[in-house]
Amino acid sequence: MPAFSGMGTTVTIGGTALKATSITSPTLKRGSIDVTNLESPDNIKEFVPGLLEAGDFSCDFFLPEGSGLDASMDEALAANYEKAIVVTFPNGGSVTFNAFITEFTFDAVAAGDNAVKGKLTAKAIDRPVYVAAGA
């Protein structure tokens, strides 16, 4: 299967579409629990599988004019609200998860030909649902 371009990928947070410039999707990872004991064979540490963690999501974006995103994300950050996040790829695949906002910032605004850019970071609180293209 050939690779595809990321151009055309969309991000929606709590129903608001962003003009994303870069995205880092959550990554499922499993912790490990050290169960090494005085009877562990060959002096080798022993481990058992721990819990899954979905990790963090981050997105750099241009602030959509008139979206109210700045107030919505500020409120979500202050009140610990969860937001549904949907990333849809141009080939039709997607990843959906719920998260709480951990960081919401804007870049410095300067004179000249500049657009207002922001960055959002969120902690996924459930297992991301991945949908393959064409599914």
Side-chain angles (χ1 to χ4, degrees), residues 56-131:
D56 294 329
F57 165 84
S58 66
C59 179
D60 294 320
F61 58 92
F62 290 110
L63 184 65
E65 185 175 354
S67 69
L69 179 69
D70 48 349
S72 173
M73 292 302 114
D74 184 56
E75 179 184 350
L77 184 59
N80 300 323
Y81 291 160
E82 298 170 12
K83 294 281 188 179
I85 298 177
V86 180
V87 178
T88 305
F89 301 102
N91 69 352
S94 66
V95 59
T96 303
F97 55 94
N98 292 304
F100 61 88
I101 309 304
T102 57
E103 179 183 4
F104 184 67
T105 61
F106 291 104
D107 289 348
V109 178
D113 293 334
N114 297 304
V116 178
K117 296 179 186 176
K119 179 175 180 143
L120 181 138
T121 305
K123 173 67 79 178
I125 60 169
D126 56 9
R127 186 182 189 124
V129 176
Y130 297 92
V131 176

Side-chain angles (χ1 to χ4, degrees), residues 7-75:
M7 294 301 291
T9 299
T10 62
V11 177
T12 304
I13 298 179
T16 300
L18 300 182
K19 297 292 184 187
T21 59
S22 69
I23 303 164
T24 302
S25 187
T27 303
L28 277 175
K29 58 184 174 182
R30 181 172 300 280
S32 59
I33 301 168
D34 186 342
V35 293
T36 307
N37 58 75
L38 295 174
E39 296 178 6
S40 293
D42 300 321
N43 292 322
I44 299 290
K45 284 189 166 194
E46 295 181 87
F47 295 92
V48 295
L51 298 174
L52 285 173
E53 179 184 339
D56 294 329
F57 165 84
S58 66
C59 179
D60 294 320
F61 58 92
F62 290 110
L63 184 65
E65 185 175 354
S67 69
L69 179 69
D70 48 349
S72 173
M73 292 302 114
D74 184 56
E75 179 184 350

